[in-house]
Amino acid sequence: MSERQTIGALLEAARSRLERLEPPAAFRAQAEGALIVDTRCAELRRDDGVIPSSVHVPLSVLFWRLDSTSGHADPALTDTKRQIVLCCAHGYSSSMAASTLRDLGFGRATDIVGGFEAWAAAGLPVARDRQARS
């Protein structure tokens, strides 16, 4: 049996594999063709807004939607050469998920430092989510 890991150690290991983007750099990457994938729940998207032109893929199905071999992939999201920038609420679960996407062949997968909260605090564009339900 292997030694127990802490979430802090796992997060540090995940982040060591990524070139994480500060919000302004993520905004520039999106303008240059990167896909921002918002993994937050519908309630947060409804209450706090969304990054314009981002795609919502809940964390619970993220890997299956992006992996073309899963049988549940969204063909619009499976390009392993495209830069995928994940966004969660605060930048923790997105780091773990981006590291896993790297294992799935998305060599440019990364996340936003500080998540959506940092994006909004930086004064970057935020839109209302018209699809989120009350």
Side-chain angles (χ1 to χ4, degrees), residues 43-65:
E43 291 81 14
L44 286 178
R45 292 168 50 82
R46 180 193 64 229
D47 294 347
D48 299 337
V50 300
I51 296 171
S53 300
S54 65
V55 174
H56 180 228
V57 181
L59 188 58
S60 61
V61 297
L62 177 71
F63 310 119
W64 288 266
R65 296 295 179 264

Side-chain angles (χ1 to χ4, degrees), residues 24-128:
F27 180 69
R28 287 190 301 275
Q30 183 186 41
E32 294 169 359
L35 177 64
I36 296 181
V37 177
D38 187 343
T39 63
R40 294 176 302 141
C41 66
E43 291 81 14
L44 286 178
R45 292 168 50 82
R46 180 193 64 229
D47 294 347
D48 299 337
V50 300
I51 296 171
S53 300
S54 65
V55 174
H56 180 228
V57 181
L59 188 58
S60 61
V61 297
L62 177 71
F63 310 119
W64 288 266
R65 296 295 179 264
L66 273 70
D67 183 355
S68 64
T69 69
S70 73
H72 301 283
D74 179 338
L77 306 176
T78 60
D79 181 358
T80 58
K81 296 193 183 330
R82 187 174 190 187
Q83 185 176 28
I84 303 293
V85 180
L86 298 182
C87 180
C88 67
H90 305 288
Y92 295 100
S93 63
S94 58
S95 293
M96 301 288 282
S99 180
T100 300
L101 286 179
R102 292 258 175 143
D103 292 336
L104 291 172
F106 291 84
R108 299 176 65 206
T110 191
D111 74 326
I112 298 173
V113 175
F116 183 83
E117 182 178 84
W119 176 282
L124 294 168
V126 173
R128 300 305 297 157

